[in-house]
Amino acid sequence: MSAQTRIAVSELRLYLREPAAVAATLGLPLLIMVSFGLIVTPGDDPIYTYFPGLAISFSLAILSLNLLPTILAGYREKGILRRLHTTPVHPSKVLIGQLLVSSAVAVAMAVVVVAAGRIIGYPLPGQPLGFVLAFVLGALSLFSVGLLVAAIAPTARIATAIGMLLFFVNMFTGGVFTPREALPGFLNRIGDFMPLGATMQAVRDSWDGHFPQLPHLVVLATITVVFGLASARLFRWE
């Protein structure tokens, strides 16, 4: 087993030992689908795509804006990354391990949401390729934002504070707390340029049988590249 694989497995074990993290990223999306499925009968109205979009977007936001930056900033604060510089294992392997675990959890969450929705009575995403593209770009864009927070936050507490601020701003403007149909037009326009808002709408479009709108995909790809490059340039190991 390679050093990278061992670190990824170790990070996965640490994640599984945190019941709150597992509940927020896997249990809560399932609870959202089941609870709304019991209350509201799925139908043809586009508002019904809000519920799977909510479950997926909420979990991705928790993973990328709360867990990822707090963990990595905590490793730096505790000197773990600095100490790895004295070993043959480069500290970047910890970062890669965290990304691998976060990506695996995100995929597992998406499978849970799709499967639960199908059991409850929701149709499968009407545009499968569009759904996969929206999910992958959405996850990458949000992870890149989380990595930038981890790159600039000197402590885990500050990373948590910044992540929570970004979390609530994205949730409010992105049509996650409240469906886009109930938001004023100016908030929808702002949400179109936010990673969570673009992800939410792209997932909803693909679930409803439409290919995600190009502007949303361009926004997600641009955020991934810009924030990803910025985090790579600014990330401090000490």
Side-chain angles (χ1 to χ4, degrees), residues 203-216:
V203 168
R204 290 188 61 180
D205 286 341
S206 62
W207 208 294
D208 200 34
H210 308 294
F211 199 81
Q213 299 174 45
L214 182 60
H216 292 141

Side-chain angles (χ1 to χ4, degrees), residues 20 35 40 43 47 133 164 173 188 190 196 222:
S35 58
V40 182
I47 191 63
L133 184 60
M164 289 300 293
T173 61
N188 283 329
I190 294 174
L196 197 59
T222 301

Side-chain angles (χ1 to χ4, degrees), residues 62-74:
I62 289 289
L63 267 173
S64 59
L65 302 179
N66 297 135
L67 296 180
L68 182 62
T70 299
I71 291 172
L72 290 177

Side-chain angles (χ1 to χ4, degrees), residues 31 54 71 79 124 157-158 181 190 217 220 228:
L31 179 61
L54 166 64
I71 291 172
L124 295 173
R157 181 173 296 180
I158 294 177
E181 292 81 356
I190 294 174
L217 299 181
L220 294 175

Side-chain angles (χ1 to χ4, degrees), residues 14 29 61 69 79 115 120 131 152 167 209 214 233:
L14 291 174
I120 293 168
F131 173 76
I152 63 176
F167 174 82
L214 182 60
R233 184 177 182 83

Side-chain angles (χ1 to χ4, degrees), residues 102-143:
S102 296
S103 299
V105 173
V107 171
M109 173 271 299
V111 171
V112 167
V113 170
V114 172
R118 185 58 179 164
I119 293 172
I120 293 168
Y122 282 88
L124 295 173
Q127 178 54 257
L129 179 59
F131 173 76
V132 172
L133 184 60
F135 174 77
V136 171
L137 282 178
L140 289 176
S141 66
L142 286 162
F143 285 154

Side-chain angles (χ1 to χ4, degrees), residues 26 59 97 106 138 176 178 203 225:
L26 294 178
S59 184
V176 181
T178 305
V203 168
V225 173

